Amino acid sequence: MTIQRIIRSAKRLQGEIKLPGDKSISHRALMLGGLCRGKVKIENLSPGQDVQSTLTCLRSLGVKVRQEGNVVKIEGHGLHGLQKSETILDAGNSGTTMRLLAGMLSGQSFETKITGDASLQKRDMKRIVEPLSQMGAKISSNQGFAPLWIHGGNLHGIEYTMPIASSQVKSSILLAGLFASGVTSVIEHAPTRDHTERMFRYLGIKLDGDKNRVTVPGGQEPQARDFSIPGDFSSAAFLIAAALLMKEAHLVIQDVGMNRTRTRFLDILAQMGGQIALKNERLENEEPRADLEIHHSDLKGIEVSGVDIPLLIDELPILAILASQAHGVTLIRDAKELRVKESDRIQATVTNLKAMGGNIEELPDGMRIEGPTRLDGASLRSFHDHRIIMAFAVAGLVASGETILEETEWADISFPGFFEMLGTLSHT
Ligand code: S3P
């Protein structure tokens, strides 16, 4: 069933909230938890559908999982304890599930078939098939797309220089590296999110490396340790944006993940004039977290490109909305990867923002936005993409009249309860 929602313009946004657990960290906690011997308790697991996809796949692979709300108790049988699945694994809409699991499955002595929804079947899997095949896995695919048939085998370590900046690719190779003989090294030209490396360390897996290289010796079993997952920074981004845009805003978001490979959005906002204070900064389970306090701010345009892009890749659609209300030109370049996410996020953002009267131009590798422009309520598509629908819910708050959003259930991929939370915080 699809859910249409109407967003009306608002002036005030006030409150103190906590957010669901980080999606990226939740996937990794489940997967690595499933490779431990013994019980692991995970608190504040993301309730999003993507993470449920990972959980269901792990169950099919013989990992015991007990879920009570956002607390999950997981019991694996060690590094070599996964069992052949009786059914085809379904990664749903989740690229992280498919790509990271493919790394783990490459090291198994059984065969697995994994597929996904219509969007995931259109996303490039060659980027992982290639390095995993170099390590000795036999993977058949539909010309580089899912479904994947993974015939695990005896893997050997490789040194792999990533042609694109992708944490999913890096993590897939590092997970396969746990099952490989010798050492596995990944070299990245631009830093990408490092949750896998941090979690390896937390679970006692030794890693070497310098700035752009990470190396893992094979055969290491993660040690069972409990996790508490911080609030999802990428989910926080929508609420941060809403608060910056509302004339009367005071929002506190407690306990948000503050990993530096995820938070470049905050640095960019500070340069644009955003007033965001960090409080209570701390480190838990190797991941930094903090409380954020946000006030309304007048913003100015900015240029974002190069090595900054992978560090705010998921925040670019909402940055475009902010840019439409900022003074001057915002230029987003070097962001071709946005075209191969859950939707073509450049096209989706440009189409919807234009429909609202935004001054935005599509570029092959980004967008040019000139602001501030008055946005008008419009009828907008979801593009079957959680980040697009949430970004345009925020745009609806600053637009005149009513914004009609179709298929808002797509927000549940990463942030169930988003619309209810936004409704409670914002006032006309
Ligand atoms: C993710 C990495 C990013 C991001 C995705 C989650 C992860 O993808 O867009 O939402 O958990 O590793 P890439 O690393 O492929 O850019």
Side-chain angles (χ1 to χ4, degrees), residues 4-8 401-405 408 419:
Q4 185 195 68
R5 289 180 194 264
I6 297 176
I7 309 284
R8 293 186 179 84
E402 289 184 345
T403 297
I404 300 165
L405 297 177
T408 58
F419 283 95

Side-chain angles (χ1 to χ4, degrees), residues 4 7-8 34 57 84 96 115 138 152 164 179 187 231 239-240 248 281 285 309 320 358-359 375 385 406 420 423:
Q4 185 195 68
I7 309 284
R8 293 186 179 84
C57 289
K84 182 175 164 64
T96 311
T115 190
K138 291 190 180 54
I164 36 165
F179 298 93
I187 297 162
L239 299 165
I240 294 170
E248 297 164 49
E281 290 181 68
N285 310 159
I309 294 295
N359 185 349
L375 297 183
D385 186 324
E406 302 295 343
E420 290 75 8

Side-chain angles (χ1 to χ4, degrees), residues 324 352-360 369-370 373-376:
S324 77
N352 277 353
L353 202 52
K354 271 195 175 153
M356 299 181 91
N359 185 349
I360 182 166
I369 306 121
E370 200 165 336
T373 41
R374 182 192 130 118
L375 297 183
D376 295 317

